[in-house]
DNA sequence: TTGAAAGCGCTAACAA
DNA sequence: TTGTTAGCGCTTTCAA
């Protein structure tokens, strides 16, 4: 059978091809009778307008590129699902671009592909965009929203939570509950989130007049986080009484290592605080105290921002930072009460 | 600046527009000199061929639709990531369609959208396709591969693991290690996987001459699985000594409930076996004995099958079933040795 | 409100 | 090998 075109419908309905087009075009002028006739014929042929052909004229593909580094951290599939639902409401769909590889050359290829597909916009989650890449997208007139990452480039819009403040809050909580030997297994130092959370940790400690017990880069990676934990606990001069970890995904690894390799108890021997509050964090097996990223608001703002960029290019870039909230669960304890 | 077209490049290079087209078309005949000239001009303008315009002629969009119900079960983001990488190799990208809603009407809408985007093929993961929907896709000439689901419809190709055999193996293992009161929290009975795994469980038990302790539908849902667990352990006449659970995702819920609500130990009080072997299952916190789905082979076969369907429509449908393997970890024990 | 006609950016005959 | 030309299926002027 193959494709049914508007011309087929037109012939069947005995009207012009443009009449068919109009009935399927939002806000075009067609009489009720015409619309009825056309829709009837269209239904009988199971006709649907070809978005690709439409895109050629309108210049809009109704495709949004989601560039994402990895999906093993539950935060991202969760975001993907929510973004997809929200975009669907607006008549857009997500084309997935995996960009785990960190070489500039690989990144260039991803941008090539983005341009090829004539995407209407880009949501870059958990990936850094070099200046040159950002400029290419600008030249091609493809708006970009950074999701859960910020960039020095002031022309890039982004939505994040306030990572500095969130980390500071978490650290202050640990201090207020009597922890004094605080270690930080940080997010990847090449990312804004990694750096900002580390800075928040350092700031809280400094204000308190305390030195960090240790800071190790866990690179947002499970294996690296386990290595970091081992390193932390191999020190001879006592153990940390609390670890602030750069995200929940690493936290699970750290907790597994502490419990099943070190044989220590959480929070009795060491308290743990994470960042993100992914669904898994609330499961009893981990029951993690963590800084909740306001993911729904982040999604909402990302989409609102992107739609603005798509529909009126005049919008000036904004770096939105939403407030996160500390969710206290079972991996922390009040050491002041202990004795 | 906006879009750069092949005509712009042609003018800049002082050649015809078709010459530009040819240099960017696989297997077209262009001289080395021409190609060089064109590429130079193209690079200077940062030109990329418009896939959408190309699609209009070739009839191929290089877009594959992934229809997926949910992403909270780690099996699916994992599959999505792997599918995306494998398809990228072949020059395809994944457009995401979320189809959690189970009403026929919603499903029709999803198919509408699929057709709109002129996708070259569909991978339906974790979703059922009614006959009428499958027929619509057939009419539109869009090939479908079912991933991790089978359907009665013999015209639909699918790739699954052998769920019946996998479940049977798991159950036989429990029997061989001295368990006698076996319960099953099953996958959703409206799905092929749910039914086949339940059948494998029942078959092994019957061959052994044993009645199931209980069978409850957990619907592949965390909350439902927890409810099922509560129900199971509220019975007055003793407790099960083993539970075979329809997938790992539910397993985590069941284990959480057993440990933190019932206060029982795994495997000392009750053994647990899951299905899938998602990454999380090997983490020490769960360390789950489970039937591993050969996901890499499943991905490979799915893509191979889909490419076949796309490139030669003559391919007859195949229901591929790959062998799964029981991975014994820490949630099972040998009760024969216990005393 | 409707139809005729032009053209979106590209590929693929067809000639040269 | 190259250029010319005719569409792919649609939207959007422009007249009627």
């Amino acid at each position: 059978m193959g494709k049914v075109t508007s011309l087929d419908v037109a012939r069947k309905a005995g009207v012009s091809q443009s009449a068919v087009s109009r009935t399927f075009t939002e806000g075009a002028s067609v009489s009720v009778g015409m619309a009825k006739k056309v829709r009837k014929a269209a239904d009988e042929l199971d006709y649907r307008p070809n978005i690709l052909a439409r895109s050629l004229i309108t210049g809009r593909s109704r495709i949004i590129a989601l560039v994402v580094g990895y999906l093993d951290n539950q935060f991202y599939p969760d975001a993907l699902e929510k973004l997809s639902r929200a975009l669907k409401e607006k008549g857009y769909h997500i084309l997935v671009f995996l960009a785990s590889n960190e070489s500039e050359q690989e990144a260039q290829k991803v941008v090539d592909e983005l341009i090829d597909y004539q995407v209407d916009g880009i949501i870059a989650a958990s990936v850094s965009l070099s200046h040159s890449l950002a400029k290419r997208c600008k030249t091609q007139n493809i708006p970009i929203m950074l999701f859960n990452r910020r960039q020095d480039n002031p022309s890039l819009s982004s939505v994040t939570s306030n990572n500095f403040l969130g980390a500071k809050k978490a650290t202050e909580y640990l201090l207020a509950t009597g922890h004094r030997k605080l270690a930080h297994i940080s997010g990847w130092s090449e990312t804004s989130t990694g750096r900002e959370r580390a800075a928040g940790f350092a700031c809280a400690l400094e204000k308190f007049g305390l030195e960090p017990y240790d800071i190790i880069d866990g690179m947002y990676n499970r294996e690296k986080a386990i290595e970091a934990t081992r390193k932390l606990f191999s020190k001879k001069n006592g153990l940390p009484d609390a670890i602030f970890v750069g995200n929940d995904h690493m936290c699970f690894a750290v907790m597994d290592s502490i419990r099943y390799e070190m044989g220590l108890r959480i929070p009795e021997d060491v308290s743990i605080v994470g960042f993100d509050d992914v669904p898994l964090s609330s499961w009893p097996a981990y029951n993690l105290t963590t800084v909740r990223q306001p993911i729904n608001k982040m999604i909402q703002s990302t989409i609102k921002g992107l739609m603005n960029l798509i529909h009126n290019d005049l919008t000036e870039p904004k770096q939105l930072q939403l407030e996160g909230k500390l969710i206290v669960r079972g991996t922390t304890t009040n050491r002041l009460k202990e004795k």
Side-chain angles (χ1 to χ4, degrees), chain A:
Chain A
M1 166 142 303
K3 313 288 176 218
V4 178
T5 73
S6 57
L7 194 62
D8 298 326
V9 178
R11 278 202 269 259
K12 174 140 195 158
V15 299
S16 76
Q17 180 269 329
S18 19
V20 177
S21 171
R22 283 195 198 95
T23 52
F24 285 95
T25 304
E26 202 95 8
S29 85
V30 258
S31 66
V32 190
M34 173 65 88
K36 220 169 178 174
K37 249 195 309 193
V38 171
R39 288 206 186 278
K40 182 162 173 289
D43 282 350
E44 282 170 24
L45 296 171
D46 197 15
Y47 166 78
R48 299 241 91 215
N50 181 330
I51 284 201
L52 272 34
R54 174 180 287 171
S55 305
L56 211 50
I57 298 164
T58 59
R60 307 224 165 286
S61 61
R62 311 220 68 104
I63 296 174
I64 301 293
L66 177 68
V67 186
V68 67
Y70 34 78
L71 294 174
D72 54 346
N73 173 356
Q74 209 184 8
F75 186 75
Y76 293 105
D78 194 26
L80 167 50
E81 188 170 336
K82 287 174 167 140
L83 283 169
S84 179
R85 286 192 203 293
L87 283 171
K88 185 185 168 172
E89 299 284 297
K90 305 213 175 278
Y92 290 86
H93 283 263
I94 285 183
L95 197 65
V96 177
F97 292 84
L98 251 33
S100 50
N101 211 313
E102 304 300 337
S103 84
E104 176 75 11
Q105 207 182 8
E106 286 299 315
Q108 288 284 5
K109 271 197 193 156
V110 173
V111 176
D112 284 354
E113 293 167 353
L114 291 174
I115 298 175
D116 290 351
Y117 280 99
Q118 305 286 115
V119 300
D120 287 348
I122 300 172
I123 299 174
S126 78
V127 284
S128 314
L129 229 56
S130 71
H131 269 257
S132 78
L133 293 184
K135 205 190 283 172
R136 273 188 77 196
C137 295
K138 182 137 288 179
T139 308
Q140 297 276 346
N141 237 322
I142 311 178
I144 306 178
M145 286 291 295
L146 262 36
F147 179 83
N148 203 31
R149 282 289 183 283
R150 298 204 298 155
Q151 210 104 19
D152 295 333
N153 193 336
S155 73
L156 284 174
S157 288
S158 61
V159 174
T160 59
S161 67
N162 192 321
N163 291 293
F164 177 85
L165 232 57
K168 188 157 160 273
K169 249 187 251 178
T171 311
E172 283 167 352
Y173 176 77
L174 286 172
L175 291 168
T177 49
H179 302 81
R180 290 299 175 263
K181 297 167 72 177
L182 278 69
H184 179 39
I185 294 179
S186 70
W188 192 26
S189 59
E190 300 269 309
T191 65
S192 62
T193 49
R195 285 191 305 267
E196 288 165 7
R197 290 170 196 175
F201 172 77
C203 171
L205 236 52
E206 196 185 325
K207 271 175 86 173
F208 202 85
L210 224 53
E211 289 290 308
Y213 174 82
D214 204 351
I215 299 179
I216 308 179
D217 193 334
M219 299 188 74
Y220 287 141
N221 173 289
R222 184 172 171 89
E223 278 66 44
K224 288 270 187 294
I226 289 178
E227 277 174 38
T229 311
R230 287 182 191 140
K231 211 161 168 187
L232 215 52
F233 284 86
S234 68
K235 282 196 164 183
K236 291 294 166 233
N237 53 336
L239 300 176
D241 57 8
I243 310 176
F244 170 53
V245 184
N247 72 357
D248 290 359
H249 180 66
M250 290 194 296
C251 246
F252 305 135
V254 171
M255 288 176 67
D256 285 349
S257 172
I258 289 174
R259 284 170 170 165
Y260 302 99
E261 289 186 19
M262 313 300 155
L264 297 174
R265 292 160 309 157
I266 300 169
E268 291 82 353
D269 298 315
V270 54
S271 292
I272 304 284
V273 178
F275 209 108
D276 278 350
D277 194 28
V278 297
L280 182 49
S281 302
S282 67
W283 296 5
Y286 290 105
N287 193 29
L288 181 62
T289 296
T290 187
V291 180
R292 173 177 295 169
Q293 296 221 64
I295 188 159
N296 289 320
K297 279 186 197 157
M298 286 170 69
I299 299 280
Q300 213 178 296
S301 308
T302 301
I303 291 189
K304 197 174 155 198
L306 191 62
M307 291 300 132
N308 269 334
L309 288 172
I310 291 177
H311 296 118
N312 27 298
D313 340 51
L314 330 146
T315 327
E316 59 192 48
K318 239 195 329 208
Q319 278 86 38
L320 190 60
Q321 285 190 285
L322 298 160
E323 190 92 1
K325 189 178 159 188
L326 183 70
I327 306 292
V328 177
R329 295 205 186 92
T331 57
T332 45
T333 186
N334 191 341
R335 305 234 180 272
L336 298 173
K337 286 196 195 150
E338 259 174 20
K339 271 233 350 206

